[in-house]
Amino acid sequence: MPRRTRKYWLLKSEPSEYSIDDLAKEGTGTWDGIRNYRARNIMRDEMAAGDLVLFYHSSCKPPGVAGVARITGEPFADPTQFDTASPYYDPKSTREQPRWIAVHVEFIERLADEVPLDVLKRDPELDGMGVRAKGNRLSVQPVEKVHFRRVLRLGNAKTRVR
DNA sequence: GCCAACGTTGGC
DNA sequence: GCCAACGTTGGC
């Protein structure tokens, strides 16, 4: 049985809510509160331990890729959907039939040079990258390996992807 | 199942 | 704060 090929992702977060520095501080974190079905389906069906993540800061100045993380463990039912005190509580979710998915992530590095969106948009090697598309609000996006590597280079990352 | 109205995202 | 681009909801 061949090992599953590692996949690459871009995950958006508003740094005022949860930033790469928060993840750096804790070392590991839970990517929860995703309440979009497309994003949910991607997390549930396609994410797996070992996948690499571009940590993207949105709704800030400037928006852009701020760091690198890794998915650890398998996707699981997002606990916040059961938590009545949480802003992400969903009364339609049950333990038997959870509606929303979370993943655990671990910190890899903060980019020496954040790669702002306008740089992502200008770089010809990143043609076709999802986050560049106008009106793309999806907070969980697949990233092609060549694009992932290019962003690492633009950010002077220590992380190497073979 | 259509689609209008409403809500949210997120760059600017 | 604006608003375009989506997503979701709910009446029909």
Side-chain angles (χ1 to χ4, degrees), chain A residues 15-88:
Chain A
S16 59
E17 295 293 319
Y18 187 66
S19 74
I20 187 71
D21 294 315
D22 295 324
L23 179 59
K25 211 173 298 172
E26 304 287 333
T28 62
T30 302
W31 208 275
D32 57 19
I34 303 297
R35 295 294 180 269
N36 171 287
Y37 287 106
R38 269 176 73 197
R40 187 278 311 268
N41 293 345
I42 290 172
M43 293 171 82
R44 183 190 58 198
D45 303 336
E46 299 189 49
M47 278 188 179
D51 288 356
L52 291 181
V53 171
L54 296 176
F55 195 123
Y56 181 91
H57 285 171
S58 64
S59 294
C60 60
K61 278 196 246 183
V65 176
V68 186
R70 181 187 291 110
I71 307 289
T72 60
E74 300 308 312
F76 60 101
D78 181 345
T80 64
Q81 69 195 310
F82 309 123
D83 178 3
T84 52
S86 168
Y88 300 115

Side-chain angles (χ1 to χ4, degrees), chain A residues 56 63-65 115-136 151 154:
Chain A
Y56 181 91
V65 176
V115 187
L117 180 60
D118 65 326
V119 171
L120 296 177
K121 284 184 169 172
R122 278 202 306 270
D123 194 292
E125 293 188 38
L126 296 177
D127 285 354
M129 192 176 179
V131 74
R132 303 201 332 183
K134 190 181 175 188
N136 193 334
V151 173
L154 289 171

Side-chain angles (χ1 to χ4, degrees), chain A residues 143-161:
Chain A
V143 176
E144 289 177 37
K145 186 177 179 178
V146 286
H147 290 163
F148 196 97
R149 296 179 67 164
R150 177 61 178 161
V151 173
L152 292 183
R153 172 166 280 280
L154 289 171
N156 282 312
K158 295 192 286 281
T159 305
R160 293 284 177 268
V161 170

Side-chain angles (χ1 to χ4, degrees), chain A residues 2-19:
Chain A
R3 193 201 173 280
R4 169 187 173 280
T5 305
R6 178 162 66 192
K7 294 185 180 181
Y8 300 88
W9 307 101
L10 180 144
L11 298 182
K12 295 184 190 173
S13 181
E14 300 190 13
S16 59
E17 295 293 319
Y18 187 66
S19 74

